[in-house]
Amino acid sequence: RPPARPPAHARSAASAHRTMTSLLPGPGIANVLNAAVLVGIGMLGYQRSTSKTALIPVVAGGALLLAAPGVWAHDKVAAHVAALVSLVMVVALFKPLKGAVARGDEGAKLRVGTMLASCAIATVCFVNHFVLNRLAKRAAAGGGA
């Protein structure tokens, strides 16, 4: 006897979510690009300011690069660690952005804004991947969406 197909509402929820988010890159690509942005722009920011705190994005980018093999291998823990680092950086970059806006420093606004956008997009990609995995697991188990 063939395995039972998931209920129609479970299939439609997963496919609807997949269709809505089909333009997003996978978590592996998003993680590596985010790491590259954080390391590259973080080093540039450190050269411009020489403040030790400008190295925080570089360290975060290094952590993302260390988690990258696990993310590519679909390791749940590595993916969640990378998502958490990206989310923490989204929150952490608001204060430097506020300071750059207050100073009127266009270069700093561009650098911090780019890192903030990169981390936000990577976080969305991770969350999307987690949701798709959850929907697929429910559909395979025959549960509802």
Side-chain angles (χ1 to χ4, degrees):
R1 202 174 130 167
R5 285 188 63 171
H9 64 277
R11 288 192 312 270
S12 62
S15 65
H17 185 80
R18 188 170 288 110
T19 301
M20 291 184 335
T21 59
S22 62
L23 296 176
L24 292 174
I29 293 171
N31 183 55
V32 171
L33 290 177
N34 188 31
V37 167
L38 289 175
V39 170
I41 295 178
M43 290 300 291
L44 182 64
Y46 178 70
Q47 290 174 346
R48 307 275 175 172
S49 73
T50 66
S51 171
K52 299 279 190 230
T53 58
L55 291 174
I56 292 171
V58 177
V59 171
L64 292 175
L65 285 175
L66 288 175
V71 173
W72 282 106
H74 303 288
D75 179 16
K76 191 175 180 178
V77 173
H80 280 83
V81 167
L84 181 63
V85 170
S86 296
L87 181 62
V88 166
M89 288 306 297
V90 167
V91 173
L93 286 168
F94 273 109
K95 185 160 174 62
L97 183 61
K98 183 179 172 186
V101 169
R103 289 190 314 272
D105 185 347
E106 297 299 321
K109 284 193 277 189
L110 180 64
R111 288 189 304 272
V112 176
T114 302
M115 289 188 291
L116 181 61
S118 173
C119 289
I121 291 168
T123 301
V124 167
C125 291
F126 276 111
V127 170
N128 175 56
H129 180 71
F130 299 152
V131 168
L132 287 176
N133 281 347
R134 175 65 56 99
L135 289 173
K137 184 184 281 187
R138 283 186 183 168

